[in-house]
Amino acid sequence: MAAAERTGAPVISLDRVQCCAEIPTGSGRPTPAELRGTQRIYVCSRKLINGVIPAHEAHKLLKLRVAECALRHRLIILEGGSVSLLNTMIADEYWDCFQWRSDRFELGDPTEFLSRARARVREMFERRGGRASLLEELVELWRDPRLHQALADIDGYRVAIRFAAERALPVAGLLSLDAETREELVEGIAQEYLDHARWQTREFLELPLSWKVTGFGSRHK
């Protein structure tokens, strides 16, 4: 956001889950207030019933979004989110014609990560910016059995669904948890986010030398 504010460049999200507009809270889409007037572009708009868009399809659409933005902007910010999409980009020589600045943000202290993740999950459990909470989104969408598998494949929702099943609760019962049990769920989702971050660290490939622009330091993503 700071880079977009400073430069006026659009931000294209590489998070494939955020393409599903039905789950803005659970996918982590920024609220209008969080965008602070910057332009954010999603690779596509996709119904959850169709599942999360595969990386190779998202990659084709990403090229179109970049081409559209390049007609009006000399600088475009790509915000990482999908390791499989990033690695698909790295394997495609198409991107070698661009000049890149890339920043890699290391995982750092797991204890600090978990502390911030818990705070973020607690925020997602509340209504913000006119949006439903994460649990309200889940309960509403769970009414359609066709969406069960798609929801169970998404971080956060997966833990909540399992949490309800282990306690013999209907998914709708997650809205009525007492404070102590609710904190157990917060902890479970925060731990899943940490596990996912560790997986990303392992799975994300090194950038090709052509993407490492001289003069921008040693941190790359």
Side-chain angles (χ1 to χ4, degrees):
M1 298 304 176
E5 286 180 310
R6 187 170 63 250
T7 63
V11 178
I12 301 179
S13 171
L14 303 187
D15 191 318
R16 294 181 292 122
V17 179
Q18 287 185 359
C19 291
C20 299
E22 298 156 285
I23 51 171
T25 302
S27 68
R29 277 194 179 202
T31 64
E34 289 170 334
L35 287 175
R36 303 199 296 264
T38 61
Q39 181 184 5
R40 186 175 182 86
I41 299 168
Y42 299 98
V43 170
C44 69
S45 180
R46 187 177 175 92
K47 289 289 187 181
L48 187 60
I49 197 168
N50 296 320
V52 175
I53 185 169
H56 68 279
E57 291 183 26
H59 185 234
K60 292 178 183 177
L61 293 172
L62 174 62
K63 290 180 180 180
L64 294 177
R65 301 293 168 263
V66 168
E68 292 164 358
C69 288
L71 294 174
R72 302 184 298 277
H73 301 275
R74 291 180 58 82
L75 175 67
I76 302 167
I77 299 170
L78 303 185
E79 180 188 275
S82 169
V83 170
S84 54
L85 177 51
L86 287 164
N87 285 337
T88 301
M89 292 174 64
I90 288 170
D92 190 338
E93 294 180 354
Y94 169 85
W95 299 102
D96 290 347
C97 65
F98 293 86
Q99 184 185 45
W100 293 87
R101 167 176 174 158
S102 53
D103 294 310
R104 182 184 182 112
F105 298 96
E106 301 297 340
L107 176 60
D109 179 9
T111 302
E112 175 63 21
F113 182 100
L114 273 175
S115 177
R116 296 180 65 179
R118 291 185 195 104
R120 179 60 172 165
V121 174
R122 292 186 190 108
E123 282 186 357
M124 295 166 75
F125 275 15
E126 304 297 332
R127 294 184 179 182
R128 295 188 312 127
R131 289 182 179 173
S133 71
L134 182 149
L135 295 180
E136 287 172 334
E137 279 182 353
L138 172 59
V139 169
E140 179 60 31
L141 293 168
W142 194 255
R143 300 176 192 277
D144 186 345
R146 297 174 300 169
L147 300 179
H148 288 188
Q149 187 57 56
L151 290 164
D153 286 339
I154 297 173
D155 289 355
Y157 295 126
R158 175 172 39 246
V159 171
I161 293 164
R162 186 170 63 240
F163 188 90
E166 289 171 349
R167 288 157 180 77
L169 288 172
V171 167
L174 295 172
L175 296 176
S176 305
L177 298 177
D178 59 57
E180 182 177 348
T181 308
R182 183 181 171 103
E183 274 302 299
E184 291 180 26
L185 179 54
V186 167
E187 185 67 26
I189 294 176
Q191 183 63 55
E192 182 178 50
Y193 288 164
L194 174 59
D195 293 343
H196 188 88
R198 284 171 166 157
W199 173 83
Q200 286 181 315
T201 300
R202 291 194 303 269
E203 295 296 320
F204 183 60
L205 299 176
E206 288 295 322
L207 293 181
L209 290 176
S210 60
W211 283 33
K212 296 184 178 180
V213 182
T214 303
F216 288 108
S218 60
R219 295 164 60 232
H220 298 284
K221 183 171 182 181

